[in-house]
Amino acid sequence: MKALLLIDVQNDFMPGGALAVPEGNQIVPIINKIQHKFDLVLATQDWHPAGHASFASTHNKDLYELIDLNGIDQVMWPDHCVQGTTGADFHAELKLDKIEAIFRKGTNPEIDSYSGFYDNAHLKSTGLSGYLKEKGVTELYFAGLAGDFCVAFSVKDALNEGFTSFLIEDATRAIDAEGFEKAKAEIVEKGGKILNADEI
């Protein structure tokens, strides 16, 4: 059973959004083109309450500053993907008809959640792993934003959960190229595979 997991294909991560990933919009046509190749398509959605602990504005900190948040390194992000805002909506051109379930993350105001599986302290599961196992999924393919944060964290958690995991490189974009190279190396080291959409 082969599943495609779309990570945070949301307006705030697109060019012009609050936390824009360069060329983020370019992944949407690729994702739309490959959805039919999978038995199951799922999506995650960053879904922060206003005043979230990961927002620079909450702490009067500089954007992208690194702070210690309850013992975890936390980047101070611009306010983004606030519940119920247009920025939190999926990109208008993303095909949603094949998406069977949406897993929301980052809902706890006190802790960030890059991965689609767990919050950053691994205190609480989103239920994604159990859902996939119940469906009989063995192979997981990842696309979305941003490659060096939410996508990479999700792939690493999937590998730890025992799923054969593939990162679709041309269907993801990163905030920082150097960070993405490092993340890809970690994924391969953990047994994950990197490929392009036309190799599926």
Side-chain angles (χ1 to χ4, degrees), residues 69-70 93 109 125 132 137 148 159 168 191:
L69 184 64
N70 305 318
E93 286 164 30
S125 157
L132 291 165
V137 171
D148 44 341
L159 289 163
I168 310 168

Side-chain angles (χ1 to χ4, degrees), residues 103-104 116-119 122-130 161:
F103 289 81
R104 285 178 166 164
F117 290 89
Y118 295 96
D119 62 59
H122 274 233
L123 296 174
K124 191 177 166 220
S125 157
T126 60
L128 175 58
S129 183
E161 292 288 317

Side-chain angles (χ1 to χ4, degrees), residues 9-67:
V9 188
Q10 293 166 263
N11 290 328
D12 269 344
F13 298 123
M14 299 293 166
L19 181 43
V21 179
E23 303 177 345
N25 56 321
Q26 293 181 10
I27 69 170
V28 177
I30 299 167
I31 287 169
N32 288 341
K33 207 168 82 178
I34 61 174
Q35 288 190 37
H36 73 278
K37 296 183 177 185
F38 296 90
D39 306 306
L40 181 67
V41 181
L42 304 169
T44 66
Q45 190 175 22
D46 230 13
W47 195 248
H48 296 307
H52 192 265
S54 70
F55 297 166
S57 62
T58 304
H59 307 273
N60 286 323
K61 296 286 184 187
D62 292 332
L63 284 179
Y64 310 111
E65 191 179 326
L66 198 63
I67 70 160

